């Protein structure tokens, strides 16, 4: 028969195992969500560089579609709050239409569809918080994308646009962001290019990517351009 001390020791071991299992599950979930975001060989929206201003590119983007969600601030936590919501949609929390042709009859059944994750994940200020967007794979539009099961997720077609972009590496910090945003804004003022809307912060890499290998970008949409 176990003593009280032994029972207490066993209970502590069991609690420790449960904590380790829980942490392991969280880590696996993070890896599952983050792994497809590595920028190497990850699909991006099509664009052409139409002008360079030192470290800054002016890009002409073709149309593409996004899944988006608006989450409350602060800005530093918006990505973390939005990621599981949007990743849930990408990984099958949706209504997919699959047609099964048979001799008789022809039947149709809704099945979840898993979509390839693309880059970047974008974030911009919006009424009520911050709008975080996942770019959907090429060929996917609002008309043919699977319907989200989560009412917070909205689908949107993005029209062709011209944006000024500054690319940088380093930590996902407010100081790093502000430093490069000011550099981008100063360069555009010097050349007389006019911007519209809020700055768009773009992440291309998973959280486990070393800071010096990360690809971060800030986009500013340009006014009066094709």
């Amino acid at each position: 028969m176990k003593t009280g001390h032994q029972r207490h020791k066993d209970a502590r071991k069991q609690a420790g195992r449960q904590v380790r299992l829980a942490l392991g599950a969280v880590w696996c979930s993070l890896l599952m969500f983050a792994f497809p975001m590595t920028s190497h060989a990850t699909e991006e929206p099509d664009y052409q560089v139409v002008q360079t201003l030192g470290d800054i590119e002016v890009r002409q983007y073709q149309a593409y579609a996004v899944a988006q969600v608006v989450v409350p601030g602060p800005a530093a936590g918006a990505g973390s709050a939005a990621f599981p919501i949007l990743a849930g949609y990408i990984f099958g929390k949706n209504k997919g239409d699959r047609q099964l042709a048979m001799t008789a009859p022809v039947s149709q059944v809704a099945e979840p569809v898993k979509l390839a994750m693309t880059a970047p994940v974008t974030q911009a200020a919006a009424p009520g918080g911050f709008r975080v967007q996942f770019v959907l794979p090429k060929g996917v539009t609002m008309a043919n994308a699977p319907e989200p099961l989560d009412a917070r997720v909205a689908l949107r077609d993005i029209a062709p646009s011209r944006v000024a972009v500054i690319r940088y590496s380093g930590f996902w910090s407010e100081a790093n962001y502000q430093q490069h945003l000011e550099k981008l804004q100063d360069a555009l003022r010097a050349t007389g290019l006019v911007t519209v809307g809020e700055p768009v912060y773009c992440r291309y890499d998973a959280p486990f990517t070393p800071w010096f290998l990360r690809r971060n970008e800030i986009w500013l949409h340009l006014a009066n351009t094709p």
Side-chain angles (χ1 to χ4, degrees):
M1 184 175 181
K2 293 184 178 181
T3 65
H5 176 74
Q6 289 174 322
R7 287 194 296 271
H8 180 66
K9 187 175 180 180
D10 290 344
R12 288 177 58 189
K13 287 183 179 180
Q14 179 64 21
R17 282 195 294 269
Q18 291 175 345
V19 169
R20 287 192 295 272
L21 287 172
L23 290 175
V26 170
W27 179 240
C28 288
S29 297
L30 289 173
L31 285 178
M32 179 186 70
F33 287 139
F35 183 77
M37 289 177 59
T38 52
S39 61
H40 303 292
T42 301
E43 182 183 306
E44 299 180 30
D46 289 329
Y47 69 86
Q48 288 183 321
V49 177
V50 297
Q51 187 178 1
T52 56
L53 307 168
D55 297 336
I56 292 161
E57 292 182 342
V58 176
R59 300 175 184 168
Q60 179 66 40
Y61 274 89
Q62 297 183 17
Y64 59 92
V66 298
Q68 67 181 37
V69 64
V70 175
V71 294
S80 297
F83 196 85
I85 300 171
L86 293 174
Y89 169 73
I90 293 292
F91 293 131
K93 196 174 181 181
N94 57 61
K95 298 177 183 178
D97 290 336
R98 179 186 177 190
Q99 292 189 349
L100 303 176
M102 303 174 66
T103 304
V106 175
S107 65
Q108 178 173 308
V109 59
E111 290 188 355
V113 173
K114 290 185 179 181
L115 301 172
M117 186 175 291
T118 62
V121 175
T122 70
Q123 176 178 319
F130 292 86
R131 181 183 299 107
V132 181
Q133 297 177 333
F134 276 12
V135 177
L136 298 179
K138 293 174 185 176
V140 178
T141 66
M142 282 185 63
N144 62 22
E147 179 185 348
L149 292 178
D150 190 327
R152 295 172 295 180
V153 177
L155 303 178
R156 180 183 176 193
D157 286 328
I158 305 297
S161 59
R162 186 165 293 189
V163 297
V165 179
I166 187 167
R167 175 173 174 173
Y168 61 99
S169 60
F171 292 108
W172 297 331
S173 67
E174 181 68 17
N176 203 14
Y177 169 83
Q178 288 295 336
Q179 175 187 347
H180 289 88
L181 176 58
E182 290 174 8
K183 184 177 180 180
L184 175 59
Q185 291 172 327
D186 289 344
L188 296 181
R189 278 193 292 266
T191 55
L193 292 175
V194 179
T195 65
V196 293
E198 296 290 335
V200 180
Y201 178 40
C202 304
R203 302 181 188 186
Y204 286 79
D205 300 287
F208 53 76
T209 303
W211 62 270
F212 54 88
L213 293 178
R214 291 179 181 176
R215 175 184 172 186
N216 310 312
E217 291 181 349
I218 301 173
W219 296 0
L220 288 175
H221 286 82
L222 298 179
N224 302 322
T225 58

